[in-house]
Amino acid sequence: MKNGLFGIGGIIVALAAVALYLSIFIVNPAQQALVLQFGEIRRAEQEPGLKFKIPFVQNVVYFDKRVLDLNMPLIEPILSDKKRLVVDAFARYRITDPVLFYQTVNNIGEANQRLSTFLQSSLRSVLARATFVQMVRDDRSGLMDQIRQDVASRAAPIGIEVVDVKIRRADLPQTNSDAVFRRMQTERQREATEIRAQGAEQAQRIRSRAERDSTVIVAEAKRDAEVIRGDGDAERNRIFADAFTRDPEFFSFYRSMQAYAEGLKAGDTSMVLSPTSEFFRYFRDPSGAPRPQAPAASGEAPVARGPLAQ
């Protein structure tokens, strides 16, 4: 009898332990939970700790409480100035209302798909009103704020808070990038050609000015040289004239010596002159006295031939 009571008591204790085990669940700080009873939400547990539920009747669904990432595929929106961009964007969000989240999207995968749709729609809508310069340089942060606010307003009815929306990269498509590169290259080549032309023009101007200055300097130098040479010749003639007036005989002797030095140079110089020529009067007489004229005879006067420089 006692053995039977002990057996029944052990079974009851075991069932109670199992029931207690099945009625306990733990919510950690990174999670939040919903207690469901036959699929109906009974309560939400957002605080961490040890929680209880009715075993076999109620079950628990867990949702992440941390900030989650949403990476969306590349899109190509068209801007207001008809330029097409390749945009790579992402969003960060958290589940703030697990009840509403469970009732609308039920799970993270469905939530990501819904948020991706919201984000793509908002990106296309906001960027369609922006220009390329605003997107790339002037007002990128302002456009991001508009997109975040728009996505946040759409995500609020499904129990999600959008923390941030960012664009990783916004580039022109490859075909447009090639066209822009070619246009930039053409503009730089045009600028380089213009700069070279300006440089060549300045070089030609400097070269022409230098040639003009050179011509003027050479002409002035030649003029001054001719003036100096003329003054020198005048002074030489004056000295010669003065010497001639002072001693005509010496002047005649000096000029004859110069003529001999020029005319009778060593080498192959040959002259055919009469020995009685006035040119040789200082050879006949050191005083240079003229030779008395002989009476003319029949026939020709003798002629000296041969090298006279020897």
Side-chain angles (χ1 to χ4, degrees), residues 256-293:
S256 295
M257 294 301 105
Q258 287 183 327
Y260 293 156
E262 286 293 325
L264 302 177
K265 291 180 178 180
D268 296 333
T269 302
S270 299
M271 302 181 66
V272 179
L273 293 173
S274 171
T276 61
S277 172
E278 183 67 18
F279 183 74
F280 296 111
R281 65 192 180 99
Y282 284 99
F283 281 83
R284 296 190 302 270
D285 186 353
S287 65
R291 183 177 180 177
Q293 295 291 332

Side-chain angles (χ1 to χ4, degrees), residues 6-303:
F6 281 117
I8 294 172
I11 293 172
I12 292 173
V13 171
L15 291 175
V18 171
L20 181 63
Y21 174 77
L22 294 176
S23 65
I24 296 174
F25 65 96
I26 299 173
V27 179
N28 65 47
Q31 291 178 325
Q32 52 191 334
L34 290 179
V35 178
L36 306 179
Q37 183 173 328
F38 303 115
E40 182 182 353
I41 300 173
R42 305 304 295 177
R43 70 179 187 275
E45 298 288 352
Q46 293 181 292
E47 296 298 325
L50 187 65
K51 310 295 179 180
F52 295 93
K53 64 182 178 65
I54 301 173
F56 306 109
V57 176
Q58 295 179 341
N59 63 302
V60 180
V61 178
Y62 294 95
F63 297 108
D64 208 320
K65 202 175 183 179
R66 296 169 296 183
V67 175
L68 305 176
D69 291 331
L70 171 66
N71 293 310
M72 58 173 294
L74 299 176
I75 64 171
E76 293 189 13
I78 299 177
L79 305 180
S80 62
D81 50 5
K82 307 306 178 184
K83 289 186 173 61
R84 186 182 296 274
L85 281 181
V86 177
V87 177
D88 180 13
F90 70 92
R92 291 190 175 95
Y93 69 95
R94 65 164 60 94
I95 301 171
T96 55
D97 190 339
V99 176
L100 191 57
F101 181 83
Y102 181 78
Q103 291 175 341
T104 52
V105 295
N106 190 263
N107 57 70
I108 298 295
E110 183 66 25
N112 286 341
Q113 185 175 355
R114 189 79 64 88
L115 277 178
S116 180
T117 302
F118 294 159
L119 183 56
Q120 289 189 39
S121 175
S122 181
L123 279 169
R124 294 183 186 277
S125 175
V126 172
L127 296 183
R129 300 189 298 269
T131 64
F132 179 78
V133 175
Q134 287 178 321
M135 178 59 205
V136 174
R137 185 186 64 190
D138 292 347
D139 195 26
R140 186 163 180 166
S141 60
L143 295 175
M144 290 300 93
D145 288 339
Q146 295 181 35
I147 294 171
R148 185 188 60 79
Q149 293 173 6
D150 185 56
V151 176
S153 64
R154 297 187 185 192
I158 61 175
I160 290 176
E161 177 191 3
V162 177
V163 178
D164 195 13
V165 174
K166 293 294 183 185
I167 292 180
R168 289 194 188 94
R169 181 172 59 90
D171 296 328
L172 292 170
Q174 188 61 40
T175 54
N176 292 11
S177 298
D178 294 341
V180 170
F181 175 76
R182 287 193 296 270
R183 185 170 66 250
M184 292 174 62
Q185 187 179 35
T186 302
E187 291 176 356
R188 296 300 176 272
Q189 289 175 347
R190 179 183 57 79
E191 291 178 0
T193 302
E194 183 177 353
I195 292 172
R196 290 192 188 96
Q198 293 175 356
E201 180 182 358
Q202 293 180 2
Q204 185 61 36
R205 188 181 300 116
I206 294 171
R207 194 177 294 111
S208 299
R209 185 166 56 248
E211 291 177 355
R212 182 196 62 192
D213 294 344
S214 173
T215 303
V216 170
I217 292 171
V218 171
E220 291 177 350
K222 287 183 178 179
R223 180 200 61 193
D224 295 341
E226 291 297 330
V227 170
I228 294 171
R229 187 178 294 108
D231 293 342
D233 291 342
E235 181 66 14
R236 182 192 62 183
N237 294 334
R238 187 190 66 77
I239 293 173
F240 282 162
D242 183 62
F244 179 76
T245 55
R246 290 186 181 185
D247 192 346
E249 288 297 328
F250 175 78
F251 183 77
S252 177
F253 173 77
Y254 176 73
R255 294 303 298 268
S256 295
M257 294 301 105
Q258 287 183 327
Y260 293 156
E262 286 293 325
L264 302 177
K265 291 180 178 180
D268 296 333
T269 302
S270 299
M271 302 181 66
V272 179
L273 293 173
S274 171
T276 61
S277 172
E278 183 67 18
F279 183 74
F280 296 111
R281 65 192 180 99
Y282 284 99
F283 281 83
R284 296 190 302 270
D285 186 353
S287 65
R291 183 177 180 177
Q293 295 291 332
S298 62
E300 298 180 354
V303 177

